[in-house]
Amino acid sequence: GKLDRTRMGTDMHLRLERRTFRLDEATSRTRLVALILAKRASRGGGNAAHGKPWDLLSSDLWVRVAQLCPITHQPVWMACPFADWLVIAAKSFREQVLRAESAAAEFRAQQVREGVAECDFDDEELARRLVAEKFGLKDVESKFGCLGERNYNAFGLFSAGMRWRSQAKQLGCMREGWPKNRSQFVGFEGGFMSDDNPDIHSHCFCTLDGLFSVDWDVDSASEHRNGFHLRPKGPVEFVQSAASIQASLQKMLESEECKDDQVRAQLVRGAEARAAELHSDEGTANREDLHAFDAFEDAQWGWGSLFVRPPVPPQTRGEVLDRFGTIKEHLKALEGLITEADNDPADFRLLVAFDN
């Protein structure tokens, strides 16, 4: 989502990333060394007494070592802010990202020549528009329909800390924090302000296959068919530290509103689940911890009374997110766009954050 400075309030920001794979340097280097040693061994007598590495094995054995050495690939996540990049092959995607980065670098150099010392958020957005214009690219945001619009009741579907007074529960496909292997700064605005911006909070993310698996016709307070089985794994980063979580917990336990033993136990369990996320690649392991985590987030952000929410008419997730009922159509169309191009929704990741 774009930051609208004409309106005060909280906005939801989206950043789409795409996973590609690059050759693992360690395994490819090992294979190359084995082939070099095979060539050198073919010139010598194969006598280990010479003290040369290639003399330890015969040329044929070094070739065999090279053949048995697997060539592996490492995943790399790259910013994917343009709809056109959803439907191209991985190799073409990497090439176009590099081309866009080059154009953005030229723009930044021009800004410096004109006396602009640093690129702020507006310059980043301007660079993205320049890239889009130069290569005829369309923003990816339109493919997500109303997902990035300001809708306080719907925020809780994505971040447990943004539930406000909504009964909506966080989707199971969402994971708190930002992934450590997220795409790096690329020279043009990719959906967020800078990572260290103090106004950005309530970070969370999911893969598109997880989002596509959600049943939007289910009650928003339900935990069924919410994509939990496709919740992302891997190391994450949080704005909060373990020490700040403990400090927040202590402040809550000392509150006048927190005298009930059951509430206190739930807060402690929620803080433990929150802290466990800091050190686990798997994320919260079970739904009970997610319940406690919700309670901890509610109390931490101070949305009204600790756990009491005013009764509201039951709403489906789709109704909470979009009163016009178009979200299912948008996501179904987006899934079709990706799969028809022989791309995998699991290779796309949606990062979400909110600003004050």
Side-chain angles (χ1 to χ4, degrees):
K2 300 291 187 301
L3 179 63
D4 185 352
R5 291 186 172 83
T6 64
R7 301 186 302 162
M8 298 299 289
T10 299
D11 285 296
M12 180 175 173
H13 297 267
L14 308 176
R15 179 191 185 100
L16 185 68
E17 299 181 325
R18 182 173 175 179
R19 178 172 56 185
T20 63
F21 294 87
R22 70 181 177 192
L23 197 64
D24 180 60
E25 292 183 3
T27 55
S28 60
R29 191 182 302 117
T30 300
R31 191 172 195 178
L32 179 61
V33 167
L35 291 173
I36 292 173
L37 293 178
K39 188 173 183 179
R40 291 184 178 179
S42 66
R43 297 172 182 170
N47 185 357
H50 292 171
K52 302 295 185 182
W54 52 85
D55 289 328
L56 295 174
L57 299 174
S58 68
S59 178
D60 290 342
L61 284 177
W62 278 122
V63 170
R64 184 60 177 158
V65 169
Q67 291 172 341
L68 293 176
C69 181
I71 295 297
T72 58
H73 294 79
Q74 291 182 325
V76 178
W77 290 92
M78 308 177 81
C80 185
F82 303 115
D84 310 71
W85 291 357
L86 295 171
V87 297
I88 57 178
K91 183 179 180 181
S92 298
F93 168 65
R94 290 192 297 269
E95 291 171 352
Q96 293 208 25
V97 170
L98 293 174
R99 188 172 64 164
E101 288 178 351
S102 177
E106 290 177 13
F107 168 77
R108 288 169 60 82
Q110 181 182 349
Q111 293 289 86
V112 172
R113 287 195 295 270
E114 293 176 357
V116 180
E118 295 180 358
C119 283
D120 61 15
F121 179 77
D122 289 326
D123 293 322
E124 287 293 297
E125 185 174 350
L126 187 59
R128 180 188 53 76
R129 290 177 182 173
L130 180 146
V131 168
E133 250 179 64
K134 182 171 183 177
F135 302 114
L137 302 172
K138 295 180 181 178
D139 284 347
V140 77
E141 290 176 17
S142 61
K143 300 299 181 182
F144 287 94
C146 65
L147 212 59
E149 294 179 1
R150 180 181 291 181
N151 180 348
Y152 294 134
N153 289 329
F155 287 170
L157 288 170
F158 300 94
S159 172
M162 295 298 295
R163 290 177 66 191
W164 300 81
R165 293 184 178 274
S166 169
Q167 299 286 351
K169 289 188 176 180
Q170 184 184 36
L171 298 175
C173 63
M174 301 301 302
R175 186 167 177 202
E176 297 294 323
W178 275 351
K180 284 188 176 180
N181 63 347
R182 63 187 177 274
S183 59
Q184 299 302 307
F185 175 78
V186 291
F188 56 87
E189 191 267 316
F192 280 142
M193 293 176 284
S194 60
D195 287 7
D196 58 356
N197 190 302
D199 290 332
I200 291 291
H201 58 81
S202 303
H203 312 70
C204 49
F205 68 103
C206 68
T207 55
L208 287 194
D209 62 336
L211 189 64
F212 293 154
S213 73
V214 172
D215 188 337
W216 298 98
D217 293 324
V218 170
D219 190 283
S220 62
S222 172
E223 298 173 349
H224 298 292
R225 299 196 292 277
N226 62 2
F228 183 76
H229 63 294
L230 292 174
R231 197 162 180 258
K233 301 184 185 303
V236 295
E237 290 181 345
F238 291 93
V239 174
Q240 268 191 312
S241 64
S244 66
I245 292 173
Q246 190 60 36
S248 295
L249 173 64
Q250 191 60 37
K251 185 176 181 180
M252 293 176 207
L253 295 177
E254 294 172 356
S255 168
E256 290 296 322
E257 296 182 14
C258 190
K259 298 299 183 184
D260 184 90
D261 289 341
Q262 187 174 357
V263 169
R264 293 171 67 86
Q266 192 175 29
L267 283 176
V268 171
R269 184 171 182 179
E272 290 172 349
R274 184 73 161 99
E277 287 266 359
L278 294 173
H279 308 290
S280 170
D281 290 352
E282 300 298 316
T284 304
N286 56 64
R287 298 184 188 281
E288 288 72 20
D289 283 344
L290 287 177
H291 286 165
F293 177 71
D294 281 352
F296 178 76
E297 286 291 315
D298 287 345
Q300 183 174 220
W301 286 96
W303 303 137
S305 182
L306 270 180
F307 308 111
V308 179
R309 300 181 187 277
V312 295
Q315 287 183 302
T316 67
R317 296 171 184 141
E319 290 170 340
V320 169
L321 187 59
D322 178 14
R323 61 190 177 92
F324 299 109
T326 61
I327 184 61
K328 290 189 295 182
E329 296 174 10
H330 274 100
L331 292 181
K332 186 176 181 180
L334 178 59
E335 182 178 15
L337 189 70
I338 293 172
T339 56
E340 287 171 13
D342 290 329
N343 290 323
D344 187 351
D347 287 332
F348 293 87
R349 188 167 64 186
L350 188 67
L351 276 63
V352 180
F354 299 83
D355 70 60
N356 293 327

